[in-house]
Amino acid sequence: MLSIKNLHASIEDKPILRGLDLEVKPGEVHAIMGPNGSGKSTLSYVLAGKDDYEVTEGSATLDGQDLFALAADERAAAGLFLAFQYPLEIPGVATMTFLKAAVNAQRRARGEGDLPTPQFMKLVREKADGLGISSDMLKRGLNVGFSGGEKKRNEILQMALLEPKLCVLDETDSGLDIDALKVVSEGVNALRAKDRAFVVITHYQRLLDHIAPDVVHVMAKGRIVRTGGPELAHELEARGYADYVGEAAA
Amino acid sequence: MNAEVRSIRTAAETALSEIFASAFAGLPGDAAVAERRRTAFDAFKTAGLPSRRVEDWKYTDLRALMRDAKPVAGAPDGVMIAAARGALAPYAAIDATRVTFVNGRFVEELSDLATAEGVSVTLLKDTLATGAGVEALSDGVSPVGNVAVALNTAFVADGVVVSVAPGVTASRPLHVANIQAGSEHAAYGRVVARVGEGGNVLLIESHIGDAGAHQTNSVVTLDVADGARAELVKIQDESLDTLHLATLAVRLGAKAELKTFALAAGARAARQQIYVSFTGDASTAEIRGAGFAGASRHLDTTLVVEHDAVGCASREHFKTALDGEARSVFQGKIVVKPGAQKTDGKMMAQALLLSEAAEADAKPELEIFADDVVCGHGATVGALDDELLFYLKSRGIPQKEAEALMVQAFVGEVIETIEHEGLRELVTHRALAWLTART
Ligand SMILES: Nc1ncnc2c1ncn2[C@@H]1O[C@H](COP(=O)(O)OP(=O)(O)OP(=O)(O)O)[C@@H](O)[C@H]1O
Ligand SMILES: [Mg+2]
């Protein structure tokens, strides 16, 4: 589904991703772990199409489609979703208005008509209820006055509404209390499907207790330096990254 | 040779003199009004059209912007009236006493003169013919010699004189609708409003034009007595080939309240002058506006708020979104006269540049002659935040649509302060239409 080959990307001429390879098949959940600054968020932004980064080498395809040939909104319409590590606040754009704009933009990109408002409202209410997002929050400016945990839940709500093929979750567990972690994980698990894949970036095993990964990767200095099964996450939890930082540097 | 030698007249100045000479006899008013017109026109002739060398017009060079002078429009024909009827359609849902002018001429069939109890509405041309004409033409607030006001005084053909009796809250708003139809003419209109002690009224002023090249000059004077409240919502949606000059002059008594909102959505070049004077203690004024301009349009907001009383508060907030090579000008001044203690004044002008070539000039000023005051001003000019745009795009929202959402959010802050729901929706719709036309 997602195929990344020898990806190099830099920001302001500073190389961040340095030959990254990653293959994700439909239905799989991949976890990416790695020290701070190793380039995990950079990878997610490069995939999503943030302008600040320059791809200097390599390729990334989603179901065979060259992601780098598409604008950010086209990548989203092609089925890519990024749950931001730090979701942004947009005062004045009501959450509901934003959700509707996003859902309808993607429908239009697929050649479908806009979802009738009552149907859309019903859908949002249904999904929002499951994530503990109140109708008051939906009326507020996007993420404005939302707690850290509420912002993360809002990301999952967007994911649930947009039904992407590939979901990249960048530290969705950070800032969540124990109950919220459960709610968010259930939200994610509810979306697991044989034709949908997840790349879950996290520092902690506790998220992976809820969202069981099929594959765990260690990222260091802009590359995937080790790949293993779920047991790798436990090993990292116990031993830290010291080994990998050295290995990548070598 | 000094370029400022006034014997060299521009084509527009020469034409204005000719038009005045030929129109003068036909303009309404008694002998005193005629004298007043002549004095006003003489003042204009002496000064001429202001160029950028005149401080107050530094950013809006009227001599350059006004390339010709169009003749004062005659009575509209059937085609024009039909067009005007169409232009009024968006207002149909807004219940109001409606006085409609097409090309500056009153059109009864498009008006609804039924007034709320305690509210009187008279056509200015009738007032000008009575002894009260000269008084109606003197606002006492806008700066003496202001060229836009002087030309309006000289040429004004009609308008509305409205009076709200003391203690009366008008149960219906008053809508003064100005529609430009046809092309190549000038319309001069004036609204003279007085809200008696403890009175309360909502005034709606609209300027609409679909096509055609026009020149409009409008003056609104508002006298808000002690304990009274006036709200004014102005919608400027002139054709994109119109030169729109507008002046709002407000005098506030004690414990009075003013709330104004001005939308600038149209015109090739528009200058909105607002002069507010606090003459009684403990009054408040909220003065806001939103503007949109693309292509090489020019939008000027010139504002002077004069605090000459104790304990008054003023809030000014203007937001403009600019595209193409459009330019906005904000000149705002808060003046605190000696003795105007406990003045609380805050002014903010914000411009959003949606293109590289758009330009916003802001000149906020404070002139404070009292020591116990809290005053502040700010101005921001910036582009849309790329990080926020990326967030929206990452959800599948295309660039232009993402920009539209953010511009809506930007101007929404001031549009949302319009209390009348129907008007708020109308203004929101207009903003949306502009944004949709960009995409
Ligand atoms: N805008 C930028 N300008 C310069 N350097 C940047 C910029 N953004 C990221 N970097 C650098 O790129 C490197 C990778 O950052 P990134 O955010 O991808 O790391 P991360 O693995 O997500 O870290 P964390 O675990 O802390 O979230 C860091 O050294 C960071 O300082
Ligand atoms: Mg990160």
Side-chain angles (χ1 to χ4, degrees):
Chain A
M1 171 166 279
L2 175 68
S3 174
I4 303 176
K5 292 199 170 79
N6 189 33
L7 181 58
H8 289 257
S10 44
I11 184 157
E12 288 158 9
D13 294 328
K14 181 174 143 193
I16 310 288
L17 301 182
R18 301 189 259 196
L20 186 137
D21 295 291
L22 183 66
E23 292 290 333
V24 179
K25 295 199 182 66
E28 289 181 345
V29 174
H30 287 233
I32 297 182
M33 306 182 82
N36 295 128
S38 56
K40 304 181 297 296
S41 294
T42 301
L43 171 64
S44 68
Y45 285 143
V46 167
L47 290 177
K50 197 163 192 245
D51 289 335
D52 316 17
Y53 302 90
E54 194 195 349
V55 175
T56 52
E57 219 184 312
S59 66
T61 58
L62 181 63
D63 279 343
Q65 206 172 358
D66 178 6
L67 283 177
F68 300 147
L70 303 175
D73 58 297
E74 295 167 335
R75 297 183 197 191
L80 178 73
F81 182 88
L82 167 62
F84 281 54
Q85 180 171 3
Y86 304 107
L88 294 127
E89 297 185 8
I90 311 191
V93 177
T95 305
M96 198 58 131
T97 307
F98 159 76
L99 293 174
K100 200 168 163 200
V103 167
N104 285 332
Q106 295 209 9
R107 288 177 67 93
R108 270 175 242 153
R110 288 194 299 265
E112 296 165 22
D114 286 9
L115 202 60
T117 303
Q119 213 176 317
F120 169 79
M121 300 288 276
K122 190 166 164 268
L123 185 68
V124 174
R125 277 271 32 104
E126 219 173 84
K127 310 261 184 202
D129 280 347
L131 289 161
I133 294 172
S134 67
S135 36
D136 170 61
M137 283 164 67
L138 295 171
K139 279 187 212 138
R140 263 187 265 162
L142 181 56
N143 291 326
V144 176
F146 285 33
S147 73
E150 286 169 344
K151 286 179 186 168
K152 295 300 178 76
R153 274 187 266 169
N154 197 14
E155 295 287 288
I156 303 304
L157 172 62
Q158 292 161 41
M159 188 165 89
L161 287 169
L162 295 172
E163 301 182 326
K165 282 189 212 166
L166 177 74
C167 309
V168 180
L169 276 59
D170 191 359
E171 293 197 31
T172 297
D173 52 337
S174 70
L176 292 183
D177 64 34
I178 296 159
D179 295 333
L181 182 68
K182 242 175 123 173
V183 172
V184 163
S185 305
E186 279 163 13
V188 172
N189 288 330
L191 285 169
R192 288 188 68 163
K194 64 177 184 329
D195 52 358
R196 180 175 290 132
F198 292 83
V199 173
V200 179
I201 296 167
T202 183
H203 287 294
Y204 304 107
Q205 172 59 39
R206 54 168 202 181
L207 178 68
L208 305 179
D209 289 341
H210 295 284
I211 307 171
D214 301 297
V215 185
V216 175
H217 305 274
V218 180
M219 185 165 173
K221 299 199 171 166
R223 306 176 58 193
I224 301 292
V225 293
R226 191 167 163 203
T227 297
E231 72 290 343
L232 181 53
H234 291 283
E235 188 190 311
L236 292 172
E237 188 95 328
R239 301 186 39 173
Y241 294 116
D243 303 348
Y244 305 102
V245 175
E247 188 180 325
Chain B
M1 272 273 297
N2 186 343
E4 284 299 288
V5 170
R6 294 304 307 151
S7 59
I8 300 169
R9 301 217 157 264
T10 65
E13 287 167 347
T14 308
L16 278 168
S17 286
E18 286 165 14
I19 295 163
F20 186 68
S22 64
F24 182 71
L27 290 168
D30 58 11
V33 166
E35 187 52 35
R36 191 71 221 289
R37 290 184 189 277
R38 207 182 278 286
T39 313
F41 195 75
D42 283 346
F44 159 72
K45 252 167 75 176
T46 309
L49 289 170
S51 73
R52 67 195 137 81
R53 289 190 189 80
V54 177
E55 182 61 22
D56 197 27
W57 296 82
K58 185 175 166 190
Y59 300 99
T60 299
D61 187 330
L62 190 60
R63 205 188 297 178
L65 286 169
M66 190 166 166
R67 290 174 289 233
D68 61 354
K70 310 211 184 285
V72 179
D77 60 24
V79 176
M80 292 172 178
I81 290 174
R85 193 184 301 276
L88 273 177
Y91 292 87
I94 294 169
D95 175 61
T97 298
R98 188 162 289 124
V99 191
T100 302
F101 298 90
V102 177
N103 300 337
R105 305 287 173 167
F106 173 62
V107 176
E108 186 156 17
E109 60 179 294
L110 297 178
S111 300
D112 173 356
L113 297 178
T115 56
E117 209 176 309
V119 179
S120 87
V121 171
T122 316
L123 288 178
L124 179 67
K125 68 172 184 226
D126 297 334
T127 303
L128 291 178
T130 70
V134 170
E135 196 195 335
L137 292 182
S138 325
D139 66 77
V141 173
S142 58
V144 177
N146 182 278
V147 66
V149 180
L151 285 174
N152 184 282
T153 301
F155 285 102
V156 66
D158 207 352
V160 180
V161 179
V162 50
S163 171
V164 179
V168 167
T169 292
S171 59
R172 254 185 137 183
L174 171 69
H175 179 198
V176 181
N178 302 281
I179 296 145
Q180 271 58 252
S183 191
E184 292 299 327
H185 56 246
Y188 297 82
R190 189 179 286 230
V191 176
V192 180
R194 187 183 149 77
V195 190
E197 280 183 33
N200 187 350
V201 72
L202 166 62
L203 300 170
I204 307 163
E205 184 199 354
S206 48
H207 296 264
I208 317 165
D210 259 353
H214 307 272
Q215 289 174 345
T216 56
N217 181 323
S218 124
V219 171
V220 176
T221 72
L222 193 49
D223 193 341
V224 188
D226 295 354
R229 179 179 195 277
E231 189 175 348
L232 172 68
V233 175
K234 177 188 168 177
I235 298 173
Q236 186 271 93
D237 201 3
E238 301 270 27
S239 86
L240 297 183
D241 197 10
T242 291
L243 173 67
H244 177 86
L245 295 176
T247 308
L248 168 66
V250 187
R251 181 169 42 210
L252 292 166
K255 293 187 177 138
E257 208 182 315
L258 168 73
K259 193 165 172 184
T260 73
F261 177 89
L263 173 75
R268 169 174 60 85
R271 170 158 162 133
Q272 172 70 59
Q273 314 183 118
I274 303 175
Y275 304 104
V276 174
S277 177
F278 286 98
T279 65
D281 298 346
S283 292
T284 63
E286 294 175 43
I287 304 160
R288 298 190 183 88
F292 299 96
S296 53
R297 294 173 48 213
H298 181 102
L299 287 183
D300 173 323
T301 302
T302 293
L303 174 69
V304 181
V305 177
E306 188 179 84
H307 286 263
D308 196 6
V310 175
C312 295
S314 68
R315 293 286 175 274
E316 295 84 33
H317 198 175
F318 286 80
K319 292 198 165 203
T320 313
L322 301 167
D323 202 2
E325 289 162 29
R327 186 171 182 207
S328 76
V329 173
F330 177 83
Q331 308 188 86
K333 185 161 31 172
I334 299 178
V335 181
V336 180
K337 295 275 194 119
Q341 304 295 9
K342 310 280 179 204
T343 288
D344 173 0
K346 279 189 191 62
M347 178 164 65
M348 174 60 93
Q350 294 174 287
L352 194 53
L353 306 182
L354 301 172
S355 69
E356 295 278 324
E359 182 186 329
D361 294 299
K363 194 176 111 189
E365 286 177 279
L366 297 175
E367 255 178 35
I368 301 176
F369 301 103
D371 51 15
D372 185 14
V373 303
V374 184
C375 284
H377 65 67
T380 64
V381 178
L384 288 172
D385 184 328
D386 283 334
E387 301 281 326
L388 301 184
L389 282 172
F390 172 65
Y391 190 46
L392 296 175
K393 287 189 283 183
S394 77
R395 275 27 180 169
I397 302 172
Q399 174 81 21
K400 289 282 182 187
E401 207 183 313
E403 289 180 8
L405 276 172
M406 295 202 32
V407 176
Q408 258 175 279
F410 172 75
V411 293
E413 188 187 356
V414 283
I415 293 175
E416 274 156 29
T417 64
I418 299 172
E419 283 168 32
H420 189 287
E421 194 183 341
L423 285 173
R424 195 168 61 238
E425 279 171 10
L426 202 93
V427 171
T428 304
H429 253 87
R430 188 59 192 87
L432 264 173
W434 186 81
L435 289 165
T436 311
R438 281 187 74 236
T439 58

